Amino acid sequence: MSLYPLALLPQVTIRQGRAQFPFVPGSEPEFGTPDAVIDAWAEQGASWVHVVDEDAASGDTSNYPAIAKATSTHVQLAAAISTSAALEAAQAAKPSRIVIEPNDLTWTQNALGAHKDLLAVSLDIRAANVFDLRPTLDEAGCTRYVVRDVVTHHHWRHEDRHLLQEFCEQTDSKVVANGGIAHLEDLHTLHEIVPHGLDGIILNAPLYDGSFMYAEAVAAGADRFDMFFWGPPDPNSSW
């Protein structure tokens, strides 16, 4: 039986140069440098990590040099990147993928044309123009979307999940669901969309509050999905 590809990306959020280590039952939360935390997720089996640099996004000093020190896993970097200067700066983190914001459509099209598979475009599934915008981004060369739902509760349930499935069905590009997971049951819900084009899920809060461990998330779909299809970093890569 062939397995559908699906990557589970732990989210590492960097604030004031620090990030939280993976949850350890019976202990208090611990924080460390971005590279140490990213490597800790690699030790738990994550071949990709979604890194949110809130310092860079807010205009403070970025943590890109520290992120670049982590070489044990792929980094998908998000830092509210929507300009050429911000994109150029982000490359110092040596990420495998950079998530950009399509605030300026012309700039986004040009960036996609220049950088191709390095970039993913972040979209809000509830934005009024999201389905109208997608064909333009597809044509510009977008090969991957990171799709979020900004409602404060019930992410990816009912009509939200149907919108995500509809989006996946309308594009040949790959789609990563950003957040909205609180329990393993939520993960099972998104599993149903994988055959329609979803091939990545970003996990955040439940990995840090003890709701479930990363190994449990992998085990929840191990019989149906290839969780490691994106593979480990290439040590010979120029990035």
Side-chain angles (χ1 to χ4, degrees):
M1 180 183 69
S2 62
L3 302 178
Y4 285 107
L6 177 65
L8 300 178
L9 294 78
Q11 177 168 315
V12 172
T13 302
I14 308 170
R15 299 184 183 96
Q16 298 181 340
R18 309 287 281 180
Q20 185 175 340
F21 280 103
F23 175 80
V24 176
S27 66
E28 295 297 317
E30 294 187 14
F31 295 81
T33 60
D35 55 312
V37 173
I38 293 169
D39 287 340
W41 281 115
E43 292 175 3
Q44 295 208 7
S47 57
W48 281 73
V49 176
H50 181 70
V51 177
V52 178
D53 189 341
E54 291 195 350
D55 297 334
S58 64
D60 297 332
T61 302
S62 76
N63 298 283
Y64 297 155
I67 296 170
K69 293 179 181 178
T71 59
S72 56
T73 186
H74 289 288
V75 167
Q76 176 174 278
L77 176 65
I81 296 164
S82 60
T83 66
S84 296
L87 178 56
E88 181 178 356
Q91 294 180 44
K94 298 185 178 180
S96 296
R97 183 178 301 128
I98 299 174
V99 182
I100 61 174
E101 303 291 334
N103 301 341
D104 181 326
L105 183 56
T106 299
W107 175 81
T108 302
Q109 291 172 296
N110 291 336
L112 289 169
H115 297 281
K116 303 187 185 300
D117 289 343
L118 174 63
L119 304 183
V121 177
S122 175
L123 293 175
D124 173 10
I125 197 62
R126 288 177 167 264
N129 67 338
V130 66
F131 286 94
D132 295 329
L133 184 60
R134 181 204 53 75
T136 301
L137 294 173
D138 281 356
E139 185 176 350
C142 181
T143 60
R144 186 172 299 276
Y145 296 97
V146 177
V147 180
R148 64 188 184 276
D149 185 351
V150 298
V151 296
T152 57
H153 63 287
H154 297 306
H155 298 285
W156 305 135
R157 297 183 183 178
H158 308 302
E159 70 275 9
D160 304 351
R161 176 164 51 90
H162 297 156
L163 287 173
L164 179 62
Q165 179 171 327
E166 182 180 349
F167 186 92
C168 291
E169 291 173 341
Q170 290 186 10
T171 180
D172 292 330
S173 301
K174 300 300 183 181
V175 177
V176 177
N178 186 2
I181 304 295
H183 309 285
L184 283 176
E185 291 80 3
D186 301 325
L187 196 59
H188 293 151
T189 295
L190 285 190
H191 284 172
E192 301 308 314
I193 306 179
V194 173
H196 301 279
L198 185 73
D199 80 342
I201 301 173
I202 296 170
L203 304 173
N204 189 10
L207 296 182
Y208 295 100
D209 64 17
S211 295
F212 57 80
M213 306 295 287
Y214 183 76
E216 292 178 293
V218 172
D223 61 335
R224 298 175 59 191
F225 308 116
D226 176 6
M227 298 289 187
F228 306 102
F229 75 103
W230 285 355
D234 179 359
N236 299 314
S237 172
S238 60
W239 276 92

